[in-house]
Amino acid sequence: EPEVTQTPSHQVTQMGQEVILRCVPISNHLYFYWYRQILGQKVEFLVSFYNNEISEKSEIFDDQFSVERPDGSNFTLKIRSTKLEDSAMYFCASWGLFALGYGYTFGSGTRLTVV
Amino acid sequence: GQQVMQIPQYQHVQEGEDFTTYCNSSTTLSNIQWYKQRPGGHPVFLIQLVKSGEVKKQKRLTFQFGEAKKNSSLHITATQTTDVGTYFCVGSGGSNYKLTFGKGTLLTVNP
């Protein structure tokens, strides 16, 4: 079954540093997303990306965040100057058709720890 | 904005007991999806419901979508330890651009 691949699986960074989280979505999917999940909390929408541009973003997705699809396969989330509260699991997802309907395929996530 | 409430937040059952989680939306949904997240894992798609009053079964799991398309439920018959995890409903208002997750129901099963 096709997978969404995320790297790295775990990233530790110092506060104020820039991080880039990488994702390879499923190749024939058209909609891509970043979600985050703070430990023990709900999955929160960050941004959706369609046709090489941001289609919607949440209030969490401020000027510190940016997304890119630089080469038609990779889909990256950049956090310019990390804060302690950015520590979370970041999930990339793409939207497509399953046997039982349309839904997300999530990657296994990048655990970001800001120290 | 669209809010999706899910109850209960936690449910602990004995293996073999049934389990149900409920989702309610503040607005009419075009469709709803259900996901399962094992502890330490990522959400995995279970099903999408689109039609008003729809009922779908997947082995021991039964999914319902309300007539008004504002609520949904997931029922597991005769739980097993492999059912442990958090079950999320995800509501769509019609756009693929932003889907709203419920807080999830964490199911634990005592063997």
Side-chain angles (χ1 to χ4, degrees), chain B residues 40-87:
Chain B
H42 58 278
V44 174
F45 176 84
L46 294 176
I47 207 160
Q48 183 194 37
L49 304 172
V50 180
K51 297 178 187 170
S52 167
E54 190 167 20
V55 178
K56 284 188 176 177
K57 290 196 171 190
Q58 204 181 80
K59 296 182 182 177
R60 293 178 295 104
L61 278 60
T62 302
F63 302 85
Q64 290 190 318
F65 200 12
E67 293 289 343
K69 298 182 78 172
K70 293 178 79 170
N71 56 20
S72 182
S73 65
L74 158 59
H75 179 83
I76 302 178
T77 304
T79 54
Q80 299 173 359
T81 53
T82 52
D83 295 325
V84 163
T86 301
Y87 292 85

Side-chain angles (χ1 to χ4, degrees), chain A residues 8-10 12 28 51 53 56 72 77 80 95 108:
Chain A
S9 56
H10 194 180
V12 181
N28 61 351
N51 204 24
E53 59 184 26
E56 189 149 357
L77 174 69
R80 251 178 285 282
W95 176 267
S108 51

Side-chain angles (χ1 to χ4, degrees), chain A residues 19-69:
Chain A
V19 293
I20 297 177
L21 311 183
R22 300 180 194 281
C23 170
V24 179
I26 293 172
S27 59
N28 61 351
H29 286 185
L30 301 177
Y31 297 86
F32 312 115
Y33 306 80
W34 284 98
Y35 279 83
R36 80 172 185 191
Q37 187 176 34
I38 294 169
L39 189 63
Q41 298 188 24
K42 67 187 268 186
V43 178
E44 298 176 296
F45 170 79
L46 290 178
V47 66
S48 58
F49 194 84
Y50 172 70
N51 204 24
N52 285 323
E53 59 184 26
I54 290 174
S55 43
E56 189 149 357
K57 58 185 180 180
S58 72
E59 55 277 6
I60 302 168
F61 194 90
D62 60 21
D63 293 342
Q64 300 284 11
F65 292 87
S66 62
V67 288
E68 266 194 329
R69 196 154 186 247

Side-chain angles (χ1 to χ4, degrees), chain A residues 83-102:
Chain A
K83 302 185 280 259
L84 294 176
E85 54 266 36
D86 294 327
S87 295
M89 182 72 95
Y90 287 80
F91 291 111
C92 173
S94 62
W95 176 267
L97 181 61
F98 293 84
L100 293 172
Y102 281 92

Side-chain angles (χ1 to χ4, degrees), chain A residues 31 33 35 45 48 50 55-56 95 104, chain B residues 2 28-31 33 48 90-100:
Chain A
Y31 297 86
Y33 306 80
Y35 279 83
F45 170 79
S48 58
Y50 172 70
S55 43
E56 189 149 357
W95 176 267
Y104 291 115
Chain B
Q2 184 180 298
T28 302
L29 301 169
S30 67
N31 68 85
Q33 303 127 54
Q48 183 194 37
V90 181
S92 170
S95 162
N96 283 343
Y97 298 150
K98 180 181 177 182
L99 277 66
T100 305

Side-chain angles (χ1 to χ4, degrees), chain B residues 18-34:
Chain B
D18 291 356
F19 158 75
T20 305
T21 174
Y22 301 90
C23 233
N24 290 289
S25 170
S26 56
T27 57
T28 302
L29 301 169
S30 67
N31 68 85
I32 196 161
Q33 303 127 54
W34 285 90

